[in-house]
Amino acid sequence: MIQLEVEYVETVIVGAGQQGCGVAAALQDLGHESVVVERREIGQAWAHERWDSLRVGSGNRSVQFPGWEYDGDDPDGHMLGPELARHLRRYVEKRKLRVRQHTPVLKVECPQETSAYDDVRFRTHLPTGIVESRNLVAAVGGYARPRVPSLASQVDPAVNQVHSSDYRNPGSLAEGAVLVVGTGISGQQIADELLEAGREVFLSVGRHSAWPHHYRGRSIHEWMRVFALYEDFVRQPAADGSGRPVLPGLPVTASQDWNTGLNLGTLAGKGVVLVGSTRAAQHDVLLLEDNVVAIAAEADRSFRRVTDKIDTGIRKRGFAVPEQDPAGIGMEHISDFGSKLHLGERDITTIIWCTGFGPDYQILPDHVLDDDGAPIQDKGIFGAVPGLYYAGLPDGDSLAPVAISANIENGRVIAHNVHFDHVSRPGRPATGHRA
């Protein structure tokens, strides 16, 4: 019988994205050891699991980690995903963080009955052995598993179907028209890219918010900082009508080249055919909710709510900035489509499901998850058992904890809790390797 190698580390961190590496650096700053285990590569999602033209929506200034600010020559730009991954890898190398790449976690054991004095509260099973630890940080976020509606199985098999996580560029798709389902950032930017590439594009709308990319001479992110609009940006209703929590999407602000504004009005004006929300499939026919105008009108209201806040702030503070008419969505290009979309008649050969992601915490034991498999958590950080933490997990209806720069605050909170736990106990956990 093969005996598995067993070692001890005070804290195990699962996931080497910005959140996991941020926690490791924050722990290092307080003198605590950790090891980060990553199923593939550092910055995997940014480097390999998004479309080629995806840029960092929050801007280059947001690419920061504990003790490290953005140091490039384009602070107001929007770097591509692979570039962000390279920044993260450079940071890991500079800080000499312990990261084990290509090391998937098979499962995590955490017995329900442990003492506050126990050194081992978690056993992380890897292909190479077991790592015992007092603390475990799950930094896999809320965007681990692509979400595709069940109705996709009822679509004509002759139609190619891909999730946005597998889409790379227009050239990767079969010839013919494309239906993009979902009007969040990915849906609208991918639809815009396909149209610019000369494809005929249909866009199945869904509830979303729209914000201006630039307004009155400044970028929306500048106004967010000046008028503290960040919570408005990241906090949205988190129910889809079923009573189950869903991850809200960030407001759509800019086209995929980040030079112009993007919304349903601009897309329709360019030639994208807007159709209602997809509700069912009958082989070659999609059944739609006839709600294009209603969806666009609600997005227009979200657009005008934020421009009204900016206008009010400008008046109160007396800023000398250019006047600008808040044009909104541009409803003149928008009309309802009807209740059916015939894929064959419209020569639609591909459907891209831009329907978001869900969390994947199957490596954790059932008693720390709820009935839907989501983490039982407090404030998006503290788990259901002592020593279990989450980094990059949405807190209720807010996406603030998943933001790139949020790794600094998440790491600080977790590191200080680990540190207090460490110094408050009379003993200290063992370190080093043991067979």
Side-chain angles (χ1 to χ4, degrees):
M1 182 176 180
I2 299 177
Q3 183 177 5
L4 291 176
E5 186 178 85
V6 179
E7 61 181 308
Y8 184 91
V9 179
E10 184 180 30
T11 302
V12 170
I13 301 168
V14 183
Q18 66 266 13
Q19 298 291 342
C21 294
V23 173
L27 286 167
Q28 184 186 75
D29 287 341
L30 294 181
H32 293 279
E33 67 165 336
S34 68
V35 62
V36 185
V37 290
E38 167 57 48
R39 63 189 175 93
R40 293 182 183 170
E41 300 177 8
I42 296 169
Q44 171 69 26
W46 287 107
H48 303 294
E49 297 178 4
R50 299 296 184 265
W51 67 95
D52 295 346
S53 64
L54 174 66
R55 294 182 179 272
V56 176
S58 52
N60 292 348
R61 293 181 191 273
S62 70
V63 181
Q64 51 185 289
F65 313 107
W68 190 86
E69 300 285 335
Y70 170 76
D71 60 356
D73 57 4
D74 187 18
D76 295 318
H78 299 266
M79 67 178 68
L80 292 166
E83 187 178 355
L84 190 154
R86 289 194 292 272
H87 274 258
L88 181 57
R89 291 165 188 163
R90 182 159 59 91
Y91 177 74
V92 168
E93 182 178 0
K94 176 182 177 181
R95 292 293 300 260
K96 296 181 171 58
L97 302 178
R98 294 175 60 192
V99 179
R100 298 180 187 176
Q101 301 183 80
H102 306 289
T103 307
V105 174
L106 305 179
K107 68 174 181 178
V108 174
E109 294 179 278
C110 49
Q112 292 178 269
E113 299 298 329
T114 58
S115 164
Y117 297 94
D118 289 341
D119 291 343
V120 176
R121 296 193 289 203
F122 303 92
R123 302 182 84 238
T124 302
H125 292 251
L126 310 174
T128 54
I130 297 172
V131 183
E132 297 180 335
S133 63
R134 179 165 174 84
N135 309 295
L136 185 122
V137 182
V140 298
Y143 295 90
R145 179 183 296 175
R147 185 189 297 122
V148 175
S150 59
L151 66 88
S153 64
Q154 304 302 314
V155 175
D156 182 355
V159 178
N160 300 299
Q161 299 186 61
V162 297
H163 187 269
S164 60
S165 60
D166 295 315
Y167 167 77
R168 293 297 173 263
N169 53 63
S172 66
L173 303 181
E175 293 184 1
V178 181
L179 169 65
V180 178
V181 180
T183 44
I185 293 174
S186 60
Q188 292 199 40
Q189 288 190 3
I190 289 173
D192 186 49
E193 176 177 77
L194 290 168
L195 191 74
E196 293 293 332
R199 307 299 287 266
E200 184 177 9
V201 181
F202 295 78
L203 179 60
S204 176
V205 302
R207 185 170 173 271
H208 67 282
S209 295
W211 284 33
H213 178 44
H214 280 88
Y215 186 60
R216 301 189 68 171
R218 298 292 179 180
S219 74
I220 190 62
H221 291 287
E222 288 181 277
W223 291 127
M224 285 168 60
R225 288 192 292 270
V226 170
F227 295 128
L229 300 176
Y230 188 65
E231 279 300 309
D232 298 72
F233 190 75
V234 300
R235 189 171 295 278
Q236 299 175 56
D240 60 1
S242 65
R244 294 179 58 183
V246 297
L247 294 175
L250 295 175
V252 180
T253 61
S255 60
Q256 54 91 24
D257 64 6
W258 286 94
N259 292 321
T260 56
L262 183 67
N263 56 61
L264 295 185
T266 57
L267 287 171
K270 288 181 176 182
V272 171
V273 180
L274 303 181
V275 305
S277 302
T278 303
R279 298 305 185 207
Q282 294 176 349
H283 196 63
D284 189 49
V285 177
L286 297 186
L287 305 183
L288 311 171
E289 185 174 345
D290 198 13
N291 62 347
V292 173
V293 172
I295 289 287
E298 177 56 37
D300 184 64
R301 285 190 285 272
S302 71
F303 189 104
R304 294 179 186 279
R305 278 194 295 269
V306 71
T307 55
D308 286 347
K309 284 191 174 185
I310 294 171
D311 289 341
T312 299
I314 289 171
R315 287 195 301 271
K316 286 183 175 180
R317 299 188 188 178
F319 293 149
V321 296
E323 293 292 332
Q324 181 178 341
D325 175 29
I329 296 301
M331 299 293 290
E332 66 272 15
H333 299 297
I334 294 172
S335 61
D336 284 325
F337 179 83
S339 60
K340 292 183 179 180
L341 176 62
H342 294 262
L343 303 177
E345 291 179 5
R346 300 283 186 159
D347 191 33
I348 295 172
T349 59
T350 300
I351 297 176
I352 302 178
W353 297 103
C354 297
T355 44
F357 297 79
D360 186 358
Y361 290 90
Q362 291 181 336
I363 59 170
L364 299 179
D366 291 342
H367 66 272
V368 303
L369 306 175
D370 65 19
D371 293 339
D372 295 319
I376 301 170
Q377 49 79 23
D378 179 25
K379 303 184 186 305
I381 288 181
F382 304 100
V385 296
L388 176 60
Y389 303 94
Y390 297 98
L393 184 69
D395 175 17
D397 60 356
S398 176
L399 287 177
V402 311
I404 295 170
S405 58
N407 77 84
I408 297 174
E409 177 63 13
N410 292 337
R412 183 192 68 80
V413 172
I414 293 171
H416 279 283
N417 274 269
V418 168
H419 180 72
F420 186 82
D421 171 68
H422 182 87
V423 300
S424 64
R425 289 184 297 136
R428 294 290 183 267
T431 58
H433 172 276
R434 71 173 189 265

